[in-house]
């Protein structure tokens, strides 16, 4: 990355200049996003130190969601958090979280609508506070706290103390070992799969609004694969966050999983082929069916059908262990 990048706006301009050259390959695109995000976080840290001094304690900045899973498209929003050493006051780290959120927004990453960001006290806590919050999320039976947990589980450190996150995940696995019934709640929370194909084999597209005639790709095609592999990763205590890496690891233990890895790779490639020129975050989640050939539609239907089968296979495996 160029040393001329000294402001968030200059990072955005560089991002826009480079995007076209990296947007045709999933791996290259996600490596590029990683570079941009790392650069912004480094800038935010320098700005914080110039005004507030050095951090009062060690910390870890981590990402979640598609960023953590290496599944970003050309546009992505923000999902991140902070873990800091026990005993430190939260004010420094909340301010750092806000600086990172502001920097990422200026660099082209929309703020998270659900406020899953290190500038939010819910996602910026000390090691002990995080441990308590995670157990509370699993103890409670609400849909919201289980969603928080699932969001947190897809997390990896970008800057700082990687051990902090590893220790929290070790604690989660210990908790689930003692309370295997929690797996049933995780299954219930992720079992609803939005239908994409009707009884006559037609795609169930949006019927009104800006995206009329488009398919909601995220909920109908991606979620079954992502949720299935995350569920199995929790069950098998796998800490890797990438869905593709989870396929590699989990297929060795569960042969039923292996055949679907190719479908997921095809889905990632199909999204990039048709979404590479989108100009905003919302648009990358919709696929205009008019752009697809007959062969593309046939392939997409198979991907969607196989995703549902994969999730049912994962559900069956985990239910046997509850």
């Amino acid at each position: 990355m160029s040393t001329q990048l000294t402001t968030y706006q200059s990072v955005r301009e560089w991002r826009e200049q480079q995007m076209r050259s990296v947007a045709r390959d999933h791996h290259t695109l996600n490596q590029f996003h990683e570079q941009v995000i790392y650069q912004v976080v480094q800038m935010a840290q320098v700005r914080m130190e110039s005004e507030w001094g050095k951090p009062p304690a060690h910390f870890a900045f981590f990402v979640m969601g598609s960023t953590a899973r290496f599944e970003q498209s050309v546009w992505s929003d923000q999902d991140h958090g902070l873990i800091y050493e026990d005993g430190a006051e939260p004010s420094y780290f909340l301010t750092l979280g806000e600086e990172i959120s502001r920097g990422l927004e200026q660099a082209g990453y929309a703020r998270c609508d659900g406020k899953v960001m290190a500038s939010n006290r819910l996602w910026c806590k000390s090691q002990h506070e995080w441990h308590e919050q995670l157990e509370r999320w699993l103890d409670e039976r609400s849909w919201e706290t289980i969603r928080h947990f699932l969001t947190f589980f897809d997390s990896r450190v970008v800057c700082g103390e990687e051990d902090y996150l590893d220790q929290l995940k070790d604690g989660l696995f210990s908790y689930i070992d003692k309370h295997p019934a929690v797996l049933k709640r995780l299954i219930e929370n992720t079992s609803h799969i939005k239908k994409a194909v009707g009884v006559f084999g037609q795609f169930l597209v949006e019927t009104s609004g800006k995206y009329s005639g488009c398919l909601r790709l995220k909920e109908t095609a991606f979620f079954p694969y992502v949720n299935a592999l995350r569920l199995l990763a929790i069950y098998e205590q796998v800490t890797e966050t990438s869905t593709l890496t989870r396929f590699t690891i989990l297929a060795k233990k569960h042969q039923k999983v292996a055949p679907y890895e190719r479908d997921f790779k095809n889905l990632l490639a199909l999204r990039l082929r048709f979404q590479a020129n989108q100009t905003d975050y919302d648009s990358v989640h919709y696929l205009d069916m008019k752009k697809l050939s007959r062969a593309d539609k046939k392939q997409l239907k198979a991907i969607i059908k196989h995703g549902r089968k994969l999730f049912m296979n994962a559900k069956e495996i985990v239910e046997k262990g509850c």
Side-chain angles (χ1 to χ4, degrees), residues 160-189:
E161 309 294 323
E162 291 189 24
D163 284 355
Y164 288 5
L165 190 60
D166 291 340
Q167 289 164 11
L168 289 175
K169 290 191 177 180
D170 286 345
L172 288 175
F173 293 141
S174 296
Y175 179 94
I176 293 171
D177 278 343
K178 295 174 185 172
H179 307 84
V182 75
L183 292 168
K184 291 182 180 177
R185 300 216 306 276
L186 300 181
I187 293 171
E188 290 167 6
N189 190 282

Side-chain angles (χ1 to χ4, degrees), residues 124 220 232 238 292 309:
C124 179
T220 60
L232 285 174
V238 171
L292 272 64
K309 283 185 178 178

Side-chain angles (χ1 to χ4, degrees), residues 294-306:
R294 181 174 294 183
D296 292 330
K297 290 177 182 176
K298 183 179 178 181
Q299 182 188 40
L300 181 57
K301 280 183 184 177
I303 289 171
I304 290 168
K305 181 181 177 182
H306 294 169

